[in-house]
Amino acid sequence: MAKNTKTSAESTPIEYADRQKALEFAKKIAETYKLRDVTKSSAKTVQSIDKTSLKQYFQNVGSNENNFRKVSKYLYYRSNIYNRMVSFYANMFDFRCRKVTPQYDLSKTPNAQKIMKNYNKTLDLLDKINLPGNMYSVLVNVFVYDVCYAIVVKGDNGYFFYILDPDDCVIDGRYSTGDFSFSMDMSKWKTVQRQAAMEGIGEPLTSMYAEYQRTSQRMVHCPDEYAFCIKFHSDTWDMCVPPFLGLFLQFSSTEDLADLQAIADELDVYKLLYMPLDVLDGTKQPDDFKISPDLAKYYFNMLDAVLPQGIAAAMVPGEELKVIDFNKSADSEVNALEKAHASLLQTSPAGAVLDSHRLTTNQGLTAFLKNESATAINPIMPQVDAFVNRMLSYELSKNACKVEHFRVSIYTKEEFAKSLLDSATYSYANRIAYNTLLGVSEKETLAMLYFENEALGLPTKMVYPLMSSHTASGEVGQGAPEKDETELTDSGDRDRNRA
């Protein structure tokens, strides 16, 4: 096949115009926001834990919010267990699982065309907000700091959340929808890097900084149409302490043991040789040696020069060559560290998942995951729904559809999907909602239905439905269908595993 070597000059006006339109569209899709000045360096520090200071912080929790946040940040980067625990909770959310309900007035005759138009606008705006792609970093901040403050950066083709330093922000109110408003200390935005971010993002940072310069008031309220703030401990809005605060002392002790273990591992490779400098038999003088110390030193230096790395030598009075190694101390440190890790996993919320030996049956694991899912999702998801519906109202006013995310996690949505299928047998309208649990959005579902049914005409070409237990009768002699794992008792689970 010959290559297409046609240049822009040789293209027809229509082809050239089409390419230009495609290029312009691609530029819009790939819009970027400058967040830092790469020509300038900026130092980022993660403060280590001082166990004595940590104990003092607990004497007055409310006045040490900033210090506890620093400890939590340190543990997130320092402790593998703490990092995995935060990731466990942040990863369990699935923001594709939702229900979008159009406005409906029972007292009026519905206008189908208007409902479809508002439904389409709502879905388009939800795609822009893109919670599935934007929420992980928000949730990590929530589980590390208890609260996440963010600015909604609104592009033509999508939104993203610019996460703010929690030390610079404070909750100043609550919207009627249920989520929080906040103010930010704009005096912290004088640095080169923050000025670069302000220039790249634009609103609302520029107007907030201008208000600070005009009034000299450090704390400036974030405009409502840009504000995003959610908090794990939503019952105590005036105090922000990390969700896993109660485990900090245990984590601190474990990290101390890990440091001791590192020292023990290092000592494990070291050895000490000491050469004897024997005294004459029957002498009463302690320095009456058989060989001159100067001559002994000459031989000692020759030996010391050929010793490999990790082996040191000394010359002391004695009768025989001795070797001292340091690996005996390592075993006790290993045992102590293992016990500390085991104790921490037993008391930590996600310990049963991080330590796979604790739960031995499917029923036990299912019950645990249900409980942890409810613990993480129930305080946060209503605030997320409040934020989303508030954003929709700013753009679409009263025509926006109502969005509600299902209170399910990646571990519990399968069971919930089965309940939706059961409700469908009674003619409840959950077909689109069911597909969101499978990760297929409303628009994707409707688009594929139209494509398959209208464009491809599959209903006339594929007469028979896809094979399933609902469309195929069982064969004689096969016995009862195998139960789902979630329906098994502990004994049934053990019997299946033995089989």
Side-chain angles (χ1 to χ4, degrees), residues 216-435:
S216 298
Q217 295 292 325
R218 294 187 305 107
M219 303 305 297
V220 179
H221 178 78
C222 181
D224 301 337
E225 63 270 25
Y226 295 99
F228 182 28
C229 174
I230 56 175
K231 189 176 186 299
F232 182 76
H233 293 124
S234 56
D235 53 325
T236 54
W237 61 268
D238 56 341
M239 185 170 68
C240 300
V241 293
F244 308 121
L245 177 67
L247 297 172
F248 280 6
L249 285 174
Q250 275 185 279
F251 273 107
S252 176
S253 299
T254 303
E255 296 311 313
D256 288 345
L257 285 173
D259 291 338
L260 290 175
Q261 176 60 42
I263 296 173
D265 290 341
E266 186 177 358
L267 287 174
D268 189 32
V269 301
Y270 288 116
K271 292 184 183 299
L272 173 64
L273 303 178
Y274 61 85
M275 298 174 57
L277 194 58
D278 202 2
V279 296
L280 294 171
D281 296 333
T283 183
K284 295 182 180 180
Q285 301 297 324
D287 58 350
D288 198 0
F289 299 112
K290 289 182 177 180
I291 185 173
S292 165
D294 291 334
L295 181 60
K297 184 178 179 181
Y298 172 77
Y299 287 104
F300 171 81
N301 289 336
M302 287 195 297
L303 173 65
D304 189 54
V306 297
L307 287 177
Q309 185 178 1
I311 300 179
M315 185 170 58
V316 295
E319 296 182 359
E320 61 182 13
L321 180 70
K322 289 189 177 180
V323 179
I324 299 178
D325 56 44
F326 302 92
N327 59 356
K328 294 181 180 179
S329 61
D331 295 335
S332 60
E333 298 295 344
V334 170
N335 293 334
L337 184 59
E338 288 179 351
K339 289 179 181 178
H341 279 159
S343 175
L344 188 56
L345 288 171
Q346 287 176 0
T347 54
S348 63
V353 172
L354 302 181
D355 183 8
S356 58
H357 300 291
R358 284 177 54 186
L359 294 176
T360 57
T361 65
N362 286 324
Q363 275 202 328
L365 179 61
T366 300
F368 169 81
L369 291 174
K370 281 183 178 180
N371 180 70
E372 295 306 304
S373 296
T375 300
I377 290 173
N378 288 347
I380 293 175
M381 199 66 87
Q383 298 177 64
V384 176
D385 286 345
F387 160 75
V388 170
N389 286 297
R390 186 165 56 83
M391 289 294 110
L392 292 174
S393 68
Y394 293 145
E395 300 289 338
L396 305 177
S397 187
K398 62 180 180 180
N399 297 320
C401 300
K402 179 184 177 183
V403 178
E404 181 181 2
H405 291 87
F406 295 123
R407 306 301 189 255
V408 296
S409 70
I410 59 175
Y411 306 108
T412 60
K413 66 178 183 178
E414 184 177 351
E415 183 178 352
F416 184 72
K418 291 179 182 178
S419 68
L420 287 186
L421 282 180
D422 291 340
S423 69
T425 62
Y426 296 97
S427 300
Y428 289 108
N430 289 322
R431 283 177 288 187
I432 293 180
Y434 173 78
N435 249 19

Side-chain angles (χ1 to χ4, degrees), residues 33 104 120 158 181 310 339 341 423 436 451 463 473 494 496:
Y33 295 85
Y104 185 74
N120 186 67
S181 63
K339 289 179 181 178
H341 279 159
S423 69
T436 65
F451 181 65
V463 180
S473 58
R494 286 192 292 269
R496 176 177 292 184

